[in-house]
Amino acid sequence: MIGTLAAGALAPHPLYKEVKSRITRDLAAGVWKPGEPIPSEARLARGFGVSIGTIRKAIDELVAERILLRQQGRGTFVATHSEDRTLFYFFHIVGKDGSRELPMTEMLSFRKTTARKEDATRLAIAPGTPTLRIQNLLKLGGKPVVFDDIVVPGALFPDLDEHTFAGRDGTIYGLYQARYGINVIRISERLSSALATGTVAARLAIEAGAPVLVIKRVALSYNDTPVEYRVSTVNTAAHEYLSDLWKTEGR
């Protein structure tokens, strides 16, 4: 909810950072939902009791972080998880020539379980907490390339079942956003090399012991709240990992 910023609360950080933090909290609270416009810069400036320049600087950072999206002549909107956004922002596996395509996803299993130690650490929950574990096979060019093992806290997705997950219209993050109001705004990934185990090798149609890339990803919502932990095993015979970085002031 927009409200004038108290002068005493501004000392530790630049003013625009305080504004950015307040806007982010409002987004987390669902004041403005995905796909909806936020108020104009002039209205926000009046509401926060700051200059338009301060508002613009805060919004510039949120746009650079792809939390908000500016549309020429229309205004600024809360970003939604379209397939294009997923392909160019969250999916980093490309052909050796740099070509990109949205993978075809086959769900292999969906089950209720409890958090293992590593799951709990990555999701900031207690070991043994109820979770959902989903395994997917991602195909590029009709061939299996990525084996995903996904864990999410059951409390965040109380009625998510196999039918809903498999029958979603769009991406996984789009489902989180549209059905549960959970907006993945950034990811943290750790990469390592490994040798394919028998089970994973069979899924990827490669020999056991073949070299693979392992990506351990935590998906984060507002205020860096972890909402998903995913371990992806990638056959890099014809594909590689590509991450395009961008820079915003203060990073």
Side-chain angles (χ1 to χ4, degrees), residues 229-251:
Y229 177 49
R230 179 184 307 212
V231 179
S232 301
T233 305
V234 185
N235 175 10
T236 56
H239 294 82
E240 58 190 14
Y241 181 97
L242 173 66
S243 179
D244 291 321
L245 303 179
W246 71 95
K247 182 179 179 181
T248 60
E249 186 175 347
R251 285 196 163 194

Side-chain angles (χ1 to χ4, degrees), residues 79-183:
T80 58
H81 284 293
S82 65
E83 290 187 345
D84 284 345
R85 176 177 167 84
T86 295
L87 179 60
F88 289 99
Y89 187 33
F90 293 117
F91 188 68
H92 296 149
I93 305 304
V94 301
K96 294 289 188 182
D97 61 356
S99 59
R100 294 178 183 266
E101 64 176 290
L102 200 65
M104 296 294 295
T105 303
E106 175 188 350
M107 188 178 69
L108 302 176
S109 67
F110 183 106
R111 58 193 175 94
K112 293 182 179 180
T113 183
T114 55
R116 302 169 184 170
K117 183 177 180 180
E118 184 173 3
D119 304 333
T121 299
R122 302 301 184 197
L123 291 170
I125 57 179
T129 298
T131 58
L132 300 172
R133 184 175 294 274
I134 304 137
Q135 293 185 335
N136 284 336
L137 187 65
L138 278 57
K139 297 181 179 180
L140 296 169
K143 297 180 179 180
V145 175
V146 183
F147 173 71
D148 275 346
D149 186 48
I150 301 169
V151 181
V152 297
L156 293 181
F157 307 93
D159 64 346
L160 183 58
D161 57 22
E162 182 174 354
H163 176 75
T164 301
F165 188 87
R168 67 187 179 278
D169 182 17
T171 67
I172 295 173
Y173 290 172
L175 173 67
Y176 296 169
Q177 186 180 68
R179 189 177 179 93
Y180 301 98
I182 293 174
N183 198 7

